[in-house]
């Protein structure tokens, strides 16, 4: 019999009427011959109300007691939901995290699921019950109640779908699916029929707040099809699966984080271990960095710029200034009126000119780009905050995201799903939320050029990449940061065979770009890429890579990060050795 997991968020169960409506959806799925597990969140704003209550008692509630308190929100809604189903004439049983068998580690407030023993769940389902599971909670080894972090019911739902080998995981919410961008900012935004896990992960970390990121990581790691749909209608919604909606288009969506802050650390001695020291100081404060770019100067010094959510700016500055003497940098500046705008799409991997089109669009609107960071399937730029929405709209237009694409055909999944035996399932799910590394790759046939003294004005990065594109240079990694005297500095890599061509273009730049200079170039660098999931939520991945390179005395050139990839360049002769070291470092996590 097929199993369906249905998750209802806070707004979908905020009153008795909505609880009854949700109950009917579950009953309908049950009547259609499915075994049904419902996962519910706390009603409406209940979690916030509980947090507020705690704050009235103390500013620093013990983390264990906070979890004890917050878990009650979900306990209320599961009980009411079971009553609703019962009164509609069907068998239902509610269960807490502990009763479902969700074991987590003991990091209260953001516990990670370690395993789920689904025995009791199966028994109840086999006996014909609709099971109503409390979202967002579990227990640690000593049976203390833990919670998974705000929005964690999504993660519970996808995790249960994974252990149960469910046929579908439906996320019912107050929007009717995933959009090409936030429709409140761009009215033309289109609901997508389908989006791939990788794209959804990148979009979510670029500011699209649809689902808990950890839930999507889970779905990707265990290949759980997730269906996001509206609780108030029967519209088809959006399917999150491995395959993208289309590959004809380079971009599937765009997003914006409005309140970002940029911190630039200038004049860092360009020697092994420097980047590592800096990011360790920040990650020790548990601050998640959004964009990171490092670029090199010609004076043996490196600059590193990175962005953090605005509310973390002060803490990040404190952490950086604390290591000023130890690291020996010149100065550290910041700007907290900036926004990050990103485009995401699997199709950009083999379509040239995508970055340039984005820069061009912004340049045409007179929007200045303050920082650039590219990765496999995402390009992010930083722009002045008052231009963010205009930038988002212009980009949405330029890539014609409002138009329906031709759907990519996907092969039908095998109808007779294999029965997974219990033992292998439990083994598979041991340490369910551990870091997953897919692969680590070395590309040592790249060249790098760094250009300095680019006037910090709208349209200039676009002109630069247009010159390069016109000459036929395929740009791979791009990082732009702020150099001295508010001049921008851009580093990029290209296939080694095109290095000389790119140098010629850069030496003969026309117009406003004529005053730029080539600060640094290298015809052969090695790029190392770590691919995986959870690279950002497991905040120490960057630090671990940088640390093992630093310990081996290797100097890191460019750095950039995204949700699913972490890239660094090192001198070409170190490529193989760096690959070996990074593989050893992550040996336990490579799948
Ligand atoms: N009730 C929790 C929260 O508001 C969990 C959830 O809604 O997913 O964060
Ligand atoms: Mg909630």
């Amino acid at each position: 019999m097929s199993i369906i997991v249905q998750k209802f968020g806070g707004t979908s169960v905020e009153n008795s009427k909505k609880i009854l409506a949700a109950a009917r959806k579950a009953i309908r799925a049950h009547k259609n011959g499915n075994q049904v597990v419902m996962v519910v969140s706390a009603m409406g704003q209940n979690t916030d109300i509980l947090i507020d209550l705690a704050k009235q008692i103390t500013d620093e509630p013990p983390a264990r007691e906070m979890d004890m308190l917050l878990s009650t929100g979900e306990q209320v809604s599961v009980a009411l939901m079971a009553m609703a189903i019962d009164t509609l004439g069907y068998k239902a049983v509610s269960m807490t995290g502990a009763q479902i068998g969700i074991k987590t580690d003991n990091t209260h407030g953001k516990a990670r699921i370690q395993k789920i023993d689904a025995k009791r769940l199966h028994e109840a389902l086999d006996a014909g019950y609709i099971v109503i599971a409390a979202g967002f909670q579990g227990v640690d080894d000593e049976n203390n109640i833990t919670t998974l972090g705000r929005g964690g019911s999504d993660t519970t739902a996808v995790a249960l779908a994974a252990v149960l080998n469910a046929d579908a995981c439906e996320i019912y919410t107050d929007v009717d699916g995933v959009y090409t961008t936030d429709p409140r900012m761009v009215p033309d935004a289109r609901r997508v029929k389908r989006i791939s896990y990788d794209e959804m992960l990148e979009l979510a970390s670029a500011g699209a707040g649809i689902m808990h990121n950890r839930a999507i990581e889970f779905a990707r790691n265990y290949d759980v099809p997730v269906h996001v749909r509206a609780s108030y209608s029967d519209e088809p919604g959006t399917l999150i699966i491995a395959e993208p909606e289309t590959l004809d288009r380079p971009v599937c969506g765009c997003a914006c984080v409005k309140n970002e802050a940029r911190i630039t650390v200038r004049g860092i001695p360009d020697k092994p271990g420097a980047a590592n020291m800096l990011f360790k100081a920040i990650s020790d404060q548990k601050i998640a960095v959004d964009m990171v770019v490092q670029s090199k100067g010609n004076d043996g010094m490196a600059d590193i710029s990175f962005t953090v959510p605005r509310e973390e700016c002060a803490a990040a500055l404190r952490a950086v200034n604390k290591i000023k003497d130890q690291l020996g940098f010149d100065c550290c500046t910041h700007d907290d009126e900036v926004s990050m705008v990103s485009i995401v799409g699997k199709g950009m991997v083999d379509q040239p000119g995508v970055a340039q089109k984005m820069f061009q669009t912004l340049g045409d609107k007179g929007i200045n780009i303050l920082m650039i960071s590219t990765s496999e399937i995402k390009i992010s730029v930083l722009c002045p905050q008052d231009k963010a929405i205009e930038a988002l709209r212009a980009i949405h237009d330029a890539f014609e995201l409002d138009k329906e694409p031709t759907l990519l055909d996907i092969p039908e999944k095998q109808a007779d799903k294999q029965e997974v035996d219990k033992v292998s399932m439990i083994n598979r799910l041991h340490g369910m939320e551990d870091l997953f590394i897919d692969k680590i790759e070395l590309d040592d046939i790249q060249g790098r050029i760094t250009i300095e003294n680019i006037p910090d004005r709208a349209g200039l990065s676009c002109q630069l990449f247009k010159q390069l594109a016109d000459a036929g240079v395929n740009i791979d990694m791009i990082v732009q940061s702020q150099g001295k005297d508010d001049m921008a500095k851009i580093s990029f890599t290209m296939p080694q065979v095109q290095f000389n061509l790119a140098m010629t273009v850069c030496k003969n730049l026309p117009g406003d770009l004529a005053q730029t200079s080539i600060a640094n170039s290298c015809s052969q660098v090695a790029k190392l890429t770590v691919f995986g999931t959870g690279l950002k939520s497991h905040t120490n991945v960057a630090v671990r890579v940088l640390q093992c390179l630093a310990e081996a005395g290797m100097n890191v050139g460019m750095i950039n990060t995204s949700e699913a990839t972490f890239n660094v360049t090192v001198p070409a002769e170190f490529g193989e050795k760096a690959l070996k070291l990074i593989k050893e470092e992550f040996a336990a996590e490579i799948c």
Side-chain angles (χ1 to χ4, degrees):
M1 198 186 256
S2 51
I3 302 182
I4 292 185
V5 175
Q6 297 187 326
K7 182 253 167 179
F8 292 86
T11 44
S12 309
V13 293
E14 68 189 348
N15 54 40
S16 51
K17 210 170 133 210
K18 289 195 176 178
I19 290 180
L20 282 159
R24 286 194 192 93
K25 281 205 195 287
I27 290 171
R28 188 164 66 189
H30 178 81
K31 284 209 294 207
N32 285 340
N34 303 292
Q35 294 190 329
V36 181
V37 176
M38 292 177 93
V39 174
V40 285
S41 293
M43 293 170 70
Q45 307 302 312
N46 257 0
T47 309
D48 293 321
I49 295 170
L50 293 171
I51 292 173
D52 192 56
L53 265 179
K55 290 257 161 74
Q56 290 176 30
I57 304 276
T58 164
D59 279 342
E60 282 174 46
R64 179 188 182 279
E65 304 313 326
M66 203 61 195
D67 278 355
M68 183 67 103
L69 177 70
L70 295 191
S71 64
T72 62
E74 272 67 16
Q75 214 169 310
V76 170
S77 32
V78 287
L80 292 172
M81 188 64 78
M83 292 175 197
I85 291 178
D86 180 80
T87 183
L88 293 169
Y90 289 82
K91 293 206 293 188
V93 56
S94 64
M95 291 189 194
T96 62
Q99 290 169 336
I100 310 161
I102 301 188
K103 278 273 190 292
T104 71
D105 62 18
N106 61 4
T107 1
H108 287 288
K110 47 174 185 298
R112 282 183 180 270
I113 298 178
Q114 284 178 332
K115 58 175 190 268
I116 300 177
D117 178 1
K119 190 163 163 279
R120 184 158 174 196
L121 212 62
H122 275 298
E123 283 167 4
L125 290 171
D126 290 344
Y129 285 90
I130 294 178
V131 177
I132 298 130
F136 165 67
Q137 54 176 268
V139 284
D140 70 7
D141 280 343
E142 278 151 23
N143 279 326
N144 296 300
I145 295 179
T146 53
T147 64
L148 310 181
R150 295 308 304 272
S153 301
D154 287 340
T155 300
T156 307
V158 181
L160 289 179
V163 266
L164 294 170
N165 205 17
D167 297 75
C169 179
E170 299 177 339
I171 305 284
Y172 287 96
T173 158
D174 53 356
V175 291
D176 59 359
V178 178
Y179 279 73
T180 47
T181 195
D182 188 338
R184 286 168 303 187
M185 294 195 239
V186 183
D188 278 349
R190 176 180 62 85
R191 189 180 71 219
V192 300
K193 293 198 175 64
R194 188 159 86 205
I195 187 164
S196 68
Y197 299 125
D198 294 339
E199 291 167 328
M200 193 65 230
L201 273 169
E202 293 288 7
L203 271 179
S205 79
I210 303 279
M211 266 180 83
H212 205 213
N213 237 23
R214 275 164 55 193
I216 309 163
E217 290 172 10
F218 239 114
R220 177 185 183 275
N221 294 343
Y222 294 102
D223 205 9
V224 179
V226 174
H227 192 174
V228 180
R229 36 196 324 196
S231 49
Y232 52 80
S233 79
D234 285 322
E235 286 290 305
T238 300
L239 210 53
I240 309 175
I241 51 175
E243 294 83 4
E245 189 174 39
T246 180
L247 281 177
D248 297 347
R249 288 189 182 177
V251 177
C252 73
C254 54
C256 159
V257 179
K258 271 201 92 178
N259 299 321
E260 282 278 287
R262 168 182 58 166
I263 297 177
T264 302
V265 186
R266 296 230 179 92
I268 302 173
D270 192 12
K271 59 168 198 253
N276 174 39
M277 189 188 290
L278 179 65
F279 288 110
K280 185 153 186 332
I282 294 160
S283 119
D284 283 351
Q285 299 305 309
K286 299 272 180 293
I287 298 171
V289 167
D290 285 323
M291 293 166 84
V292 178
V293 310
Q294 161 170 314
S295 58
K296 295 196 143 191
N298 49 1
D299 43 7
M301 295 289 176
D303 294 340
I304 297 183
S305 295
F306 59 92
T307 69
V308 293
R310 182 178 307 154
E311 58 284 6
E312 312 255 44
C313 181
L317 284 171
R318 270 198 303 278
V320 173
N321 282 316
K322 226 167 149 181
I323 54 162
K324 182 160 198 248
D325 292 340
Q326 229 181 323
L327 186 56
F329 59 84
D330 269 357
C331 64
C332 166
T333 58
H334 75 280
D335 178 352
D336 60 6
E337 286 180 8
V338 291
S339 301
M340 176 174 78
V341 177
S342 309
I343 55 176
V344 171
K346 279 209 154 180
M348 70 173 69
V349 176
D350 32 44
Q351 289 196 30
V354 181
Q356 196 243 319
K357 182 164 176 181
M358 179 183 193
F359 305 155
Q360 172 104 46
T361 305
L362 298 176
D364 289 350
K365 291 268 171 203
I367 299 171
N368 194 14
I369 299 174
L370 306 169
M371 199 164 142
I372 300 172
S373 168
T374 62
S375 72
E376 273 261 290
I377 64 163
K378 179 171 84 172
I379 302 169
S380 298
V381 301
L382 205 68
C383 71
Q385 194 184 24
D386 57 355
K387 300 280 187 198
I389 294 195
E390 195 186 340
L392 198 65
R393 287 194 182 142
I395 289 169
H396 196 271
D397 258 10
F399 288 98
E400 299 186 72
L401 294 180
D402 55 324
K403 304 220 170 75
E404 287 290 337
T406 30
L407 266 191
L408 177 77
D409 274 338
I410 44 172
E412 282 281 326
K413 285 257 155 66
Q414 284 212 327
D416 51 346
K417 226 177 18 145
Q418 297 220 330
E419 276 301 321
V420 182
D421 79 272
K422 282 262 164 57
V423 180
S424 76
M425 180 63 95
I426 306 283
N427 287 342
R428 181 171 83 127
L429 296 178
H430 185 74
M432 284 184 95
E433 275 199 89
D434 287 353
L435 177 66
F436 265 64
I437 304 287
D438 295 327
K439 56 183 177 183
I440 297 167
E441 276 180 6
L442 165 67
D443 176 353
D444 57 4
I445 45 168
Q446 295 230 332
R448 171 179 52 76
I449 299 177
T450 301
I451 297 189
E452 226 172 29
N453 288 328
I454 305 173
D456 194 14
R457 267 206 313 275
L460 289 188
S461 21
C462 152
Q463 277 181 34
L464 170 65
F465 289 105
K466 183 157 187 335
Q467 295 290 327
L468 289 160
D470 288 349
V473 179
N474 295 317
I475 304 296
D476 182 35
M477 202 170 151
I478 302 173
V479 309
Q480 173 185 320
S481 61
Q482 203 181 27
K484 285 191 211 79
D485 309 322
D486 273 346
M487 294 288 206
K489 186 178 193 174
I490 295 184
S491 301
F492 55 92
T493 65
M494 77 298 299
Q496 204 174 54
V497 289
Q498 294 186 327
F499 175 77
N500 289 334
L501 176 63
M503 281 296 273
T504 312
V505 174
C506 293
K507 280 183 189 148
N508 298 297
L509 290 168
D512 283 347
L513 289 169
Q515 69 171 91
T516 59
S517 47
I518 298 177
N520 197 300
S521 67
C522 179
S523 63
Q524 204 189 352
V525 293
K527 179 177 97 171
L528 292 132
T529 306
V530 179
F531 294 89
T533 23
L535 299 192
K536 214 154 126 186
S537 62
H538 291 266
T539 48
N540 62 353
V541 174
V543 171
R544 283 171 64 191
V545 174
L546 294 172
Q547 185 147 3
C548 72
L549 298 178
E551 277 163 6
M554 289 179 206
N555 202 2
V556 169
M558 291 160 76
I559 301 176
N560 69 18
T561 59
S562 77
E563 198 51 47
T565 56
F566 178 78
N567 293 303
V568 290
T569 66
V570 296
E573 66 268 27
F574 291 141
E576 290 291 346
K577 187 164 171 217
L579 179 67
K580 188 165 160 275
L581 289 172
I582 301 174
K583 279 191 170 158
E584 277 165 18
E585 171 67 29
F586 291 100
E589 287 118 333
I590 297 184
C591 319

